[in-house]
Amino acid sequence: MELNVDILTLFPEMFDIFNYSIIGRAIENKIIDINTHNIRDYSVNKHKKTDDYPYGGGQGMVMTVQPLVDAIEGVKKNNEGKVIFLGPRGKKFDQEMAKDLSKEKNLIFVCGHYEGIDERVYNYIDLEISLGDFVLTGGEMACIPIVDSIARLIPGVLKVAESYEDESFYNGVLEYPQYTRPECFRDDVVPEILLSGHHENIRKWRRKKSLILTKTRRPDMFKKISLSKEDKKLLMENK
């Protein structure tokens, strides 16, 4: 097993999505293992409650400390990986973080809900990640794409034809335009260079298009690129 993931959640059924497509195949092939744990199972409350009103007043409910901490400690008996909480205080998730986390053998994700978690739970968390500056219904909504982006970087998860190395963000640039059959659709034709069979010219065209797309669509990303002599030459050709 290359990667073992445990997910603490109030809604385990939401993660059935991992039983399909590329990730489902990786699970079948025992490359990765994804297990969910219902936080309610760890609650000592007779009604299995996991939330309560916040001290000091305020809107909404807060996830209580006992079931969360007991769930974390219970899972850590078999998983010594980092405990990751999906929350707004965390570092914003990106491809570099996905690469770093894909090198881990074990990971534990904690999905919050309601108005947040009891502050004391943070004593048991190693890393907090935010998907972005917007509000989601719960941590599950952030956990799914994060686990997916990490898992697809594990060796053997993707077939050669599905290689991630040319995908957007992997090398710091957006992916170049892609075309497939038919060659002509409503007078809109595939660029001639892609039909030439000249691999070096195709490579340069794709790199040039990636740079141009990144510069125009994501200037924030473009500023971080260390341009090679070839990159600068390709961009000059566009002027």
Side-chain angles (χ1 to χ4, degrees):
M1 195 71 61
E2 294 289 337
L3 175 64
N4 176 49
V5 175
D6 284 289
I7 302 171
L8 309 185
T9 172
L10 293 175
F11 302 99
E13 61 274 12
M14 292 183 69
F15 295 93
D16 288 349
I17 191 170
F18 287 134
N19 294 324
Y20 303 94
S21 190
I22 292 171
I23 305 303
R25 186 179 68 212
I27 293 172
E28 288 182 4
N29 293 334
K30 301 188 184 304
I31 300 172
I32 60 176
D33 190 26
I34 300 177
N35 297 290
T36 57
H37 307 266
N38 195 325
I39 298 168
R40 296 184 196 280
D41 293 341
Y42 292 87
S43 175
V44 296
N45 180 279
K46 65 179 181 180
H47 301 296
K48 295 298 180 182
K49 283 188 62 178
T50 59
D51 63 303
D52 210 334
Y53 295 103
Y55 280 121
Q59 297 295 319
M61 306 289 277
V62 175
M63 292 189 75
T64 53
V65 62
Q66 177 273 313
L68 277 170
V69 171
D70 282 359
I72 291 170
E73 291 182 337
V75 170
K76 283 188 76 69
K77 292 176 181 178
N78 297 307
N79 184 333
E80 298 179 352
K82 287 187 175 73
V83 178
I84 301 171
F85 176 62
L86 291 314
R89 301 181 190 174
K91 183 178 179 182
K92 192 177 292 186
F93 187 74
D94 58 18
Q95 189 66 20
E96 285 305 310
M97 193 183 297
K99 289 181 189 178
D100 290 340
L101 291 175
S102 71
K103 298 171 186 176
E104 301 285 340
K105 294 294 183 183
N106 297 281
L107 293 170
I108 300 171
F109 289 89
V110 180
C111 301
H113 248 274
Y114 311 115
E115 295 302 311
I117 60 175
D118 187 300
E119 188 69 18
R120 291 166 290 187
V121 179
Y122 281 101
N123 295 326
Y124 303 86
I125 291 170
D126 300 308
L127 173 67
E128 183 171 4
I129 296 176
S130 170
L131 196 58
D133 297 333
F134 49 88
V135 180
L136 294 171
T137 304
E140 291 81 8
M141 301 295 189
C143 188
I144 290 170
I146 288 173
V147 171
D148 180 80
S149 65
I150 294 168
R152 62 190 286 109
L153 297 176
I154 303 300
V157 171
L158 295 185
K159 295 178 180 177
V160 174
E162 300 162 338
S163 177
Y164 52 75
E165 292 185 1
D166 289 329
E167 293 179 335
S168 291
F169 306 113
Y170 185 79
N171 292 310
V173 294
L174 297 178
E175 188 177 7
Y176 48 79
Q178 296 274 24
Y179 297 85
T180 187
R181 295 177 178 82
E183 184 178 327
C184 180
F185 178 74
R186 296 180 180 176
D187 296 326
D188 194 354
V189 297
V190 175
E192 186 175 347
I193 193 169
L194 297 178
L195 309 175
S196 68
H198 196 299
H199 298 300
E200 179 61 12
N201 286 346
I202 291 172
R203 182 193 66 79
K204 289 181 179 179
W205 180 89
R206 285 175 167 171
R207 178 62 179 176
K208 178 179 176 180
K209 290 296 183 180
S210 285
L211 291 169
I212 293 170
L213 277 173
T214 306
K215 186 176 182 179
T216 54
R217 305 286 181 86
R218 289 294 304 273
D220 57 316
M221 286 176 57
F222 187 79
K223 291 177 183 178
K224 300 176 183 178
I225 301 172
S226 180
L227 297 173
S228 66
K229 289 183 179 180
E230 181 184 71
D231 290 339
K232 294 175 182 177
K233 183 178 179 181
L234 291 172
L235 288 171
M236 286 296 294
E237 293 173 359
N238 191 55
K239 295 183 177 181

